[in-house]
Amino acid sequence: MIEIIPAIDIIDGKCVRLSQGDYDTKKIYNESPVNVAKAFEDAGIQRLHMVDLDGAKQGKIINIKTLEAVANATKLKIDFGGGIKTTSDVQNVLNAGATFFNIGSIAVKQPEVVEGWIKQFGADKILLGADVKDENIMIHGWQQSANINIFNYISAYINKGINYIFCTDISKDGLLQGASVDLYKKILAKFPQLHLIASGGVTVIDDVDELNIIGCTGVIIGKALYEGRIQLSQLKKYLQ
């Protein structure tokens, strides 16, 4: 059964969404991420994907107090990312209440650092991000191709012990045009053991149903929840 993972993206301590990673498209949905998280928990959600967009942009964690507040106010399992660069960053995020830390560009540019984190914290604490355009990994807020094929990237990290990957097709993200089902099917066909979390483009409950059918472990849902395209009540069948 697919796990439902709402996204809370943070700018200036507020809950926002972007389209295709473009900060100029910022839309504030709620002044209080804590209230949003509590509403998700009350509906039966158990997991949260939290991204410090200020941190991602500035290259250092900015909104750790928001993580702390949400972790203290709920029992949600939180994966947190955005601006994580050092071992002390990882430690601070876990100490602030995150169950997992999510990483992206650093895993592309400094795999040796991530290997150290796997040894120190365990692969089960890491949620690896794979941002993809035309089956190539993108970095630096989706602005630059890393010239690494998605399948080679996943293979390398599976060999390092990583089991959980969230994959975002950036051509879909925030546009409410459906998920990248064909891409996920290809990934799961090549790596059937992988716990793949779909991200980006999920628009209606049928998208969630389809991702469940093809074998995705989880689905990150953002704008569709905030704009009422998917109601929490529709997700009840997936909430244990």
Side-chain angles (χ1 to χ4, degrees), residues 70-231:
V70 171
N72 287 337
T74 71
K75 293 186 171 67
L76 294 166
K77 291 179 291 182
I78 303 167
D79 74 79
F80 180 93
I84 294 173
K85 290 284 166 64
T86 66
T87 300
S88 63
D89 288 339
V90 173
Q91 198 67 67
N92 290 340
V93 163
L94 296 175
N95 289 346
T99 306
F100 321 94
F101 60 99
N102 67 64
I103 52 174
S105 295
I106 195 167
V108 179
K109 296 190 294 181
Q110 295 179 273
E112 70 286 352
V113 171
V114 178
E115 283 183 49
W117 293 344
I118 291 169
K119 289 191 180 83
Q120 184 170 349
F121 300 103
D124 60 341
K125 287 285 178 190
I126 299 174
L127 183 59
L128 181 69
D131 297 328
V132 184
K133 187 175 184 182
D134 301 326
E135 295 189 3
N136 281 309
I137 296 289
M138 302 292 287
I139 56 173
H140 295 313
W142 304 349
Q143 302 306 308
Q144 183 184 337
S145 172
N147 295 316
I148 299 172
N149 175 272
I150 175 66
F151 304 108
N152 294 339
Y153 179 73
I154 290 174
S155 179
Y157 272 102
I158 285 177
N159 290 337
K160 297 181 204 297
I162 293 288
N163 299 308
Y164 286 86
I165 291 179
F166 71 101
C167 180
T168 307
D169 182 343
I170 67 173
S171 67
K172 301 273 191 180
D173 187 70
L175 298 183
L176 299 173
Q177 293 174 356
S180 258
V181 172
D182 291 341
L183 174 64
Y184 299 142
K185 279 181 178 173
K186 285 172 81 170
I187 292 171
L188 288 166
K190 283 182 184 287
F191 308 106
Q193 76 277 37
L194 183 68
H195 294 284
L196 180 65
I197 296 171
S199 171
V202 173
T203 308
V204 293
I205 192 65
D206 289 352
D207 294 331
V208 179
D209 295 339
E210 192 169 10
L211 293 168
N212 181 52
I213 288 165
I214 68 170
C216 287
T217 300
V219 56
I220 293 170
I221 311 176
K223 190 174 281 189
L225 274 174
Y226 293 109
E227 302 212 336
R229 307 288 189 98
I230 296 176
Q231 303 291 334

Side-chain angles (χ1 to χ4, degrees), residues 16-34:
V16 307
R17 293 300 290 166
L18 310 181
S19 293
Q20 296 186 298
D22 182 353
Y23 284 73
D24 291 336
T25 66
K26 177 182 77 173
K27 183 172 181 181
I28 296 170
Y29 283 102
N30 200 299
E31 300 278 333
S32 171
V34 170

Side-chain angles (χ1 to χ4, degrees), residues 41-68:
E41 186 176 47
D42 289 345
I45 298 287
Q46 296 180 10
R47 175 87 182 265
L48 196 62
H49 176 70
M50 188 178 286
V51 179
D52 180 350
L53 288 176
D54 292 314
K57 195 172 190 180
Q58 295 183 39
K60 59 182 181 180
I61 299 168
I62 304 292
N63 287 292
I64 199 158
K65 292 292 184 196
T66 304
L67 164 63
E68 211 163 38

